[in-house]
Amino acid sequence: MHKVLIVEDEDIMRKGLMFMPKWQEVDCIVVGEAVSGQDGLEKIRRLQPDIVIVDINMPVMDGLEMLEKSIEEYGYDAIIVSGYGEFEYAQKGISLGVTEYLLKPIDYTKLYEAIRKIQAKRNTDSSI
């Protein structure tokens, strides 16, 4: 099972991600939730997730800054969910090694595809 952390300041989006997707079907379990980039950073350190699903525009610390401060050190894979389709955000996410950039409202089929892409990469990396 892959551990998933959801970092999203919008309560309805965060709860929707936590409870609507069929996590077990994609061999995942949600281990935590965070409401800001700073909260996310603390949860990443404590929970050591395999996958982080993160919004960009959040209070205290945005999602991109949180990724910059943690993705390399903690070795998780990230999926950005955002209400913004701005190229600069997507470009920054790509430079940080983000697996996917999904626009809200989230298409769960695309979310599952991104998770499967991460799992395939992790399985390949662990067999080397």
Side-chain angles (χ1 to χ4, degrees), residues 44-101:
I44 288 165
R45 290 178 180 139
R46 196 173 79 234
L47 300 171
Q48 303 284 307
D50 301 304
I51 301 169
V52 174
I53 298 174
V54 59
D55 185 16
I56 289 178
N57 194 11
M58 294 183 292
V60 185
M61 177 190 299
D62 70 32
L64 290 173
E65 185 180 350
M66 183 201 78
L67 291 170
E68 283 181 295
K69 291 182 175 191
S70 63
I71 197 166
E72 206 170 293
E73 181 178 351
Y74 293 96
Y76 59 84
D77 289 284
I79 298 169
I80 291 176
V81 294
S82 179
Y84 301 94
E86 294 183 26
F87 179 70
E88 296 81 31
Y89 289 145
Q91 191 174 33
K92 181 66 175 176
I94 289 167
S95 74
L96 293 168
V98 169
T99 300
E100 198 69 57
Y101 189 104

